[in-house]
Amino acid sequence: MRTVLNILNFILGGFITTLGWLFATLISIVLIFTLPLTRSCWEITKLSLLPFGNEAVHVDVLRPDSKSHVMNAGGTFLNLFWLIFFGWWLCLMHISTGIVQCLSIIGIPTGIAHFKIAAIALWPVGRRVVSVEEAQAAREANARRRY
Protein backbone atom coordinates (compact mmCIF):
# COMPACT_ATOMS: atom_id res chain seq x y z
CA MET A 1 0.00 0.00 0.00
CA ARG A 2 2.89 2.36 0.77
CA THR A 3 4.31 1.85 -2.69
CA VAL A 4 0.98 2.65 -4.33
CA LEU A 5 0.61 5.84 -2.25
CA ASN A 6 4.21 6.89 -3.01
CA ILE A 7 3.60 6.43 -6.75
CA LEU A 8 0.32 8.33 -6.49
CA ASN A 9 2.09 11.14 -4.65
CA PHE A 10 4.73 11.32 -7.37
CA ILE A 11 2.13 11.45 -10.14
CA LEU A 12 -0.06 14.05 -8.42
CA GLY A 13 2.73 16.58 -7.98
CA GLY A 14 5.11 15.21 -5.38
CA PHE A 15 7.92 15.40 -7.92
CA ILE A 16 7.59 19.21 -7.91
CA THR A 17 8.21 19.43 -4.17
CA THR A 18 11.08 16.97 -4.47
CA LEU A 19 12.64 19.18 -7.16
CA GLY A 20 12.21 22.17 -4.83
CA TRP A 21 14.07 20.35 -2.07
CA LEU A 22 16.80 19.29 -4.52
CA PHE A 23 17.15 22.92 -5.57
CA ALA A 24 17.45 23.98 -1.91
CA THR A 25 20.05 21.24 -1.39
CA LEU A 26 22.10 22.49 -4.36
CA ILE A 27 21.91 26.07 -3.10
CA SER A 28 23.07 24.97 0.33
CA ILE A 29 26.03 23.21 -1.29
CA VAL A 30 26.99 26.14 -3.51
CA LEU A 31 26.85 28.71 -0.73
CA ILE A 32 29.70 27.67 1.52
CA PHE A 33 28.26 29.06 4.75
CA THR A 34 25.10 26.97 4.38
CA LEU A 35 26.88 23.61 4.20
CA PRO A 36 25.53 22.57 7.64
CA LEU A 37 22.02 22.76 6.14
CA THR A 38 22.83 20.31 3.34
CA ARG A 39 22.22 17.17 5.41
CA SER A 40 18.81 18.39 6.53
CA CYS A 41 17.90 19.35 2.96
CA TRP A 42 18.84 15.93 1.69
CA GLU A 43 16.95 14.14 4.48
CA ILE A 44 13.73 16.04 3.74
CA THR A 45 14.25 15.51 -0.02
CA LYS A 46 14.00 11.78 0.65
CA LEU A 47 10.86 12.33 2.70
CA SER A 48 9.30 14.49 -0.01
CA LEU A 49 9.97 11.80 -2.62
CA LEU A 50 8.74 8.88 -0.48
CA PRO A 51 6.48 10.22 2.28
CA PHE A 52 4.70 6.94 3.00
CA GLY A 53 6.67 4.46 5.07
CA ASN A 54 9.15 7.12 6.20
CA GLU A 55 9.05 9.62 9.01
CA ALA A 56 11.17 12.60 10.06
CA VAL A 57 12.38 12.18 13.63
CA HIS A 58 14.62 14.50 15.64
CA VAL A 59 18.07 13.10 16.39
CA ASP A 60 17.45 13.50 20.13
CA VAL A 61 14.73 10.85 19.83
CA LEU A 62 16.96 8.51 17.82
CA ARG A 63 20.07 8.93 19.98
CA PRO A 64 19.13 10.43 23.36
CA ASP A 65 22.56 9.60 24.85
CA SER A 66 24.34 11.99 22.47
CA LYS A 67 22.26 15.03 23.46
CA SER A 68 24.31 18.22 23.46
CA HIS A 69 23.12 21.66 24.49
CA VAL A 70 25.74 23.31 22.27
CA MET A 71 24.58 21.34 19.25
CA ASN A 72 20.94 22.15 20.05
CA ALA A 73 21.77 25.86 20.22
CA GLY A 74 23.63 25.65 16.90
CA GLY A 75 20.71 23.78 15.38
CA THR A 76 18.31 26.46 16.56
CA PHE A 77 20.45 29.15 14.93
CA LEU A 78 20.58 27.17 11.68
CA ASN A 79 16.81 26.62 11.81
CA LEU A 80 16.22 30.37 12.18
CA PHE A 81 18.49 31.02 9.19
CA TRP A 82 16.70 28.27 7.29
CA LEU A 83 13.26 29.70 8.06
CA ILE A 84 14.20 33.12 6.73
CA PHE A 85 15.90 32.02 3.50
CA PHE A 86 14.47 28.63 2.50
CA GLY A 87 11.77 27.36 4.83
CA TRP A 88 8.90 29.67 4.05
CA TRP A 89 8.85 29.03 0.29
CA LEU A 90 9.26 25.27 0.68
CA CYS A 91 6.45 25.30 3.25
CA LEU A 92 4.19 27.25 0.89
CA MET A 93 5.06 24.85 -1.92
CA HIS A 94 4.00 21.84 0.21
CA ILE A 95 0.82 23.59 1.36
CA SER A 96 -0.21 24.50 -2.20
CA THR A 97 0.61 20.98 -3.46
CA GLY A 98 -1.38 19.50 -0.58
CA ILE A 99 -4.39 21.69 -1.36
CA VAL A 100 -4.31 20.74 -5.04
CA GLN A 101 -4.01 17.05 -4.17
CA CYS A 102 -6.89 17.25 -1.67
CA LEU A 103 -9.20 18.59 -4.39
CA SER A 104 -9.55 15.05 -5.68
CA ILE A 105 -10.80 12.23 -3.46
CA ILE A 106 -7.93 9.97 -4.42
CA GLY A 107 -5.31 12.58 -3.53
CA ILE A 108 -6.42 13.27 0.05
CA PRO A 109 -3.88 10.92 1.72
CA THR A 110 -1.01 12.41 -0.27
CA GLY A 111 -2.26 15.93 0.43
CA ILE A 112 -2.24 15.24 4.17
CA ALA A 113 1.33 13.94 3.87
CA HIS A 114 2.34 17.24 2.24
CA PHE A 115 0.76 19.20 5.09
CA LYS A 116 2.90 17.21 7.54
CA ILE A 117 6.04 17.87 5.49
CA ALA A 118 5.13 21.59 5.34
CA ALA A 119 5.51 21.79 9.11
CA ILE A 120 8.88 20.05 8.91
CA ALA A 121 9.98 22.39 6.10
CA LEU A 122 9.92 25.33 8.50
CA TRP A 123 12.29 23.78 11.06
CA PRO A 124 14.21 20.82 9.51
CA VAL A 125 17.69 20.96 11.06
CA GLY A 126 18.29 18.02 13.38
CA ARG A 127 15.76 15.72 11.75
CA ARG A 128 16.54 12.37 10.20
CA VAL A 129 14.29 10.40 7.87
CA VAL A 130 13.85 6.83 9.08
CA SER A 131 11.31 4.11 8.49
CA VAL A 132 8.06 4.29 10.43
CA GLU A 133 8.99 1.11 12.31
CA GLU A 134 12.36 2.52 13.37
CA ALA A 135 10.75 5.77 14.53
CA GLN A 136 8.19 3.86 16.61
CA ALA A 137 10.91 1.69 18.17
CA ALA A 138 12.95 4.79 19.10
CA ARG A 139 9.91 6.43 20.70
CA GLU A 140 9.13 3.29 22.70
CA ALA A 141 12.74 2.99 23.87
CA ASN A 142 12.71 6.63 25.00
CA ALA A 143 9.44 6.11 26.84
CA ARG A 144 10.86 3.05 28.66
CA ARG A 145 14.03 4.96 29.51
CA ARG A 146 12.09 7.88 31.03
CA TYR A 147 9.59 5.90 33.10
Side-chain angles (χ1 to χ4, degrees):
M1 187 63 168
R2 291 177 183 171
T3 305
V4 172
L5 287 171
N6 282 327
I7 292 170
L8 183 65
N9 174 57
F10 189 80
I11 292 170
L12 292 179
F15 66 93
I16 295 170
T17 57
T18 303
L19 289 176
W21 278 101
L22 280 173
F23 181 69
T25 304
L26 291 175
I27 289 174
S28 69
I29 291 170
V30 170
L31 301 174
I32 302 299
F33 62 92
T34 57
L35 276 175
L37 297 171
T38 305
R39 169 92 188 249
S40 296
C41 286
W42 184 248
E43 291 286 329
I44 310 303
T45 301
K46 293 187 296 187
L47 183 64
S48 180
L49 182 62
L50 302 169
F52 296 98
N54 293 317
E55 191 173 333
V57 179
H58 199 275
V59 291
D60 291 344
V61 174
L62 291 174
R63 294 184 298 275
D65 300 332
S66 65
K67 229 179 200 181
S68 169
H69 296 294
V70 174
M71 293 299 283
N72 282 344
T76 301
F77 174 75
L78 284 172
N79 274 323
L80 286 172
F81 180 81
W82 173 267
L83 178 66
I84 293 168
F85 291 102
F86 299 108
W88 65 271
W89 63 270
L90 285 166
C91 179
L92 288 176
M93 187 170 54
H94 278 287
I95 289 172
S96 60
T97 302
I99 289 171
V100 169
Q101 288 179 346
C102 284
L103 291 176
S104 69
I105 299 294
I106 197 168
I108 290 174
T110 58
I112 292 171
H114 279 282
F115 295 141
K116 290 177 183 177
I117 299 171
I120 296 167
L122 292 174
W123 210 256
V125 175
R127 302 218 184 225
R128 299 293 175 260
V129 175
V130 295
S131 68
V132 173
E133 294 82 13
E134 188 177 344
Q136 184 64 29
R139 285 192 190 98
E140 288 174 3
N142 282 341
R144 273 189 246 113
R145 190 175 296 117
R146 283 189 201 158
Y147 299 111

